[in-house]
């Protein structure tokens, strides 16, 4: 259960007069089963992925091949974990509170952001989701097999990472890259900096209006792959700044372009600003796999994406530098702003002065 003091609750509550965001009229959709069916289907899927990344930075994946029974077991185990007594859940918090990993409630990061959410954040290595000392990750629903939550998360991560790499290969093909494995290799590297977040948004309390579950932000990594139960709440910002609601779909995954991918494509793919709002009497549970590059990976436009004489939008930096900078900011900040070159044309800059 997420417990907020009255002052904290006021910080995440939206005015009662604010209307809910309208639903996204047409969620971009890519069927990976069709992409696996032949060259024609794969080429069409690659074009659809590129178009969705350019227009929205966001799309839905169907035909993903992740077994439905695995998804059901992971969702049930996550619900069982968050149903534990608060004292038990807090055993999964990082010792000393100096790490972003582990269990936390309502406080998102260390810079003052609050939300109607509790979560587990786990590092993901080549062997799967990281364990936490003292963490009660053996939680399982009544009647389930003795398989631990940790084992389920490992199995889930392996399946979702495979699917993620297929999506990254389609992105590379849609970009016209000769090296279609360039993006997937960054996530598959043994020292890739990937993470898994398990979020639980409890039912809205008896308060007027909607609550901010997770405030607006972009994801710093290359790619984020999200799956949730059938409770809505996810909203994305369109290019004109309009917020739209994404209809719940427990059978599909949703893909977000991250900041690192925006840099690697020199801005051709744009990271999507998104948030989660809480207005339902039903809990929302979501799992997000964040595919990140190795800490020392230099982030720069991929070969072939800069035409001769083309201008780079971002200066050179490593993933470690960007991550360190991002962790010092609030959720809603423009994290890439500190790494952009000034692209103002000389004539316009002179006129402004």
């Amino acid at each position: 259960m997420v417990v907020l003091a009255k002052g904290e609750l006021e910080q995440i509550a939206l005015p009662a007069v604010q209307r809910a965001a309208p639903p996204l009229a047409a969620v971009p959709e890519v069927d990976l089963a069709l992409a696996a069916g032949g060259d024609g289907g794969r080429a069409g899927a690659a074009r659809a992925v590129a178009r969705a990344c350019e227009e929205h930075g966001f799309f839905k994946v169907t035909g993903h091949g992740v077994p439905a029974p695995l998804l059901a077991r992971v969702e049930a185990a996550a619900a069982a974990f968050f149903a534990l007594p608060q004292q038990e859940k807090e055993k999964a918090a990082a010792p000393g509170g100096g790490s972003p990993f582990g269990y936390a409630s309502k406080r998102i990061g260390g810079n003052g952001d609050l939300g109607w959410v509790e979560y587990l954040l786990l590092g993901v290595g080549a062997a799967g989701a990281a364990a936490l000392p003292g963490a009660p990750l053996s939680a399982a629903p009544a009647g389930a097999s003795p398989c631990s939550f940790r084992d389920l998360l490992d199995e889930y991560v392996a399946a979702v990472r495979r699917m993620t790499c297929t999506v990254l290969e389609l992105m590379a093909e849609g970009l016209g890259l000769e090296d279609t494995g360039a993006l997937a290799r960054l996530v598959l590297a043994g020292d890739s900096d990937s993470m898994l977040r398990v979020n639980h948004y409890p039912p809205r309390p008896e308060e007027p209006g909607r609550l901010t579950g997770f405030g607006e932000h972009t994801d710093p990594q290359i790619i984020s792959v999200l799956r949730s139960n059938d409770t809505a709440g996810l909203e994305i910002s369109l290019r004109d700044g309009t917020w739209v609601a994404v209809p719940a779909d427990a059978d599909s995954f949703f893909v977000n372009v991250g900041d690192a991918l925006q840099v690697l494509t020199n801005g051709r793919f744009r990271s999507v600003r998104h948030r989660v709002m809480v207005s339902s009497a039903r809990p929302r549970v979501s799992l997000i796999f964040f595919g990140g590059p190795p800490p020392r990976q230099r982030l720069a436009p991929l070969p072939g994406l800069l035409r001769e004489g083309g201008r780079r939008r971002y200066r050179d930096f490593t993933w470690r530098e960007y991550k360190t900078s991002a962790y010092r900011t609030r959720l809603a900040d423009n994290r890439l702003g500190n790494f952009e070159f000034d692209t103002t044309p000389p004539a316009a800059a002179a006129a402004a002065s």
Side-chain angles (χ1 to χ4, degrees), residues 83-141:
L84 290 171
Q86 189 66 27
Q87 188 175 6
E88 288 297 306
K89 289 184 288 188
E90 288 176 354
K91 291 179 181 178
S99 167
F101 295 107
Y103 171 81
S105 172
K106 73 187 178 184
R107 302 188 186 282
I108 304 169
N111 299 305
D113 289 296
L114 298 173
W116 188 251
V117 63
E118 57 180 341
Y119 60 87
L120 275 172
L121 183 62
L122 303 173
V124 171
L132 296 166
L137 296 188
S138 59

Side-chain angles (χ1 to χ4, degrees), residues 64-67 70 153-164:
H64 45 73
V66 180
L70 172 61
L153 292 180
D154 285 348
E155 186 178 354
Y156 177 85
V157 165
V160 172
R161 183 157 41 192
R162 284 193 297 270
M163 182 260 289
T164 299

